[in-house]
Amino acid sequence: MSNMYYYGTVTLYTDEGDIDVDVRAEATGWYSSGDSWGYGCEPPDGDFTIDEVEYVKAYDDYSKDPVEITDEMKKQVREKLYDVEFKEHEFEPD
């Protein structure tokens, strides 16, 4: 079960221009890449795994025209998701 989520935009920088991709992603782990525990050390790689990604829409950053989401774009978005800050799900007790 995923314990972290990200609902937001990932920007891809391409030769044709910047493309924004709105995503909903879920992950399992303790941190997002670049975060530390406050002591300047991070847990080892592998403690954070992206489980699911829903690609809501993609559009040109400047004109806001829709863009088709390709497999290559999906791969780039997944890689960039390791650099965004995920939030923890808050579960209500039964």
Side-chain angles (χ1 to χ4, degrees), residues 4-24:
M4 304 180 84
Y5 70 93
Y6 175 75
Y7 301 152
T9 302
V10 174
T11 302
L12 303 177
Y13 304 101
T14 68
D15 294 337
E16 293 82 32
D18 299 347
I19 297 172
D20 287 340
V21 183
D22 292 344
V23 298
R24 292 186 180 110

Side-chain angles (χ1 to χ4, degrees), residues 1-7 24-29 51-52 86-93:
M1 177 168 59
S2 300
N3 65 346
M4 304 180 84
Y5 70 93
Y6 175 75
Y7 301 152
R24 292 186 180 110
E26 293 194 6
T28 304
D51 300 323
E52 287 184 36
F86 279 70
K87 296 184 180 181
E88 289 187 52
H89 281 294
E90 293 186 19
F91 298 103
E92 296 292 325

